[in-house]
Amino acid sequence: MKQKIVPYVLALTMSTAGLTAMAASPAQWQAMTNNLQVSLDQALQSAVQAVPGTVIEIELDDGKGQVRYEAEILTPAGESVEVWVDGTSGQAYIHEKNGKAKRKDAE
């Protein structure tokens, strides 16, 4: 059980620290998060339900005016998959399958 919790907590801690870096200013951060209705924890859960594995990176993006979380997941088979989670509905879907994970991602 401990092995499953540690990567999840590590991903949560690392992603929380990196979220504020995505905005160039406090005003931009406010604009990005103003309509956000899905928490980081909810986004992580939705992403892993869509693609089972370990979230190794997650970030908040406001691509084309729609706020979304972009998560990179390492599957048990060693594949890297990018999953997008809608920031208002929480719906997750596979955006891109990147194939076999690079060695640094699999460690």
Side-chain angles (χ1 to χ4, degrees):
M1 180 71 172
K2 186 176 183 179
Q3 288 179 330
K4 290 182 181 181
I5 293 173
V6 172
Y8 179 75
V9 171
L10 180 60
L12 180 61
T13 302
M14 290 173 55
S15 62
T16 303
L19 281 176
T20 56
M22 296 300 297
S25 68
Q28 184 183 11
W29 178 254
Q30 182 65 35
M32 279 180 67
T33 59
N34 196 33
N35 293 324
L36 190 63
Q37 297 181 17
V38 176
S39 71
L40 177 61
D41 188 48
Q42 291 167 326
L44 286 165
Q45 290 177 14
S46 292
V48 173
Q49 285 177 351
V51 177
T54 302
V55 176
I56 57 174
E57 182 179 341
I58 189 165
E59 60 187 38
L60 188 61
D61 188 31
D62 66 342
K64 299 181 182 176
Q66 182 179 2
V67 179
R68 66 176 175 258
Y69 292 93
E70 298 177 358
E72 184 177 351
I73 297 177
L74 182 63
T75 70
E79 302 286 321
S80 175
V81 179
E82 185 173 343
V83 175
W84 286 4
V85 180
D86 185 283
T88 53
S89 71
Q91 179 145 6
Y93 59 94
I94 295 172
H95 172 68
E96 183 175 25
K97 292 183 179 183
N98 299 319
K100 207 68 165 159
K102 295 179 178 76
R103 184 164 188 232
K104 66 178 180 99
D105 291 337
E107 292 178 344

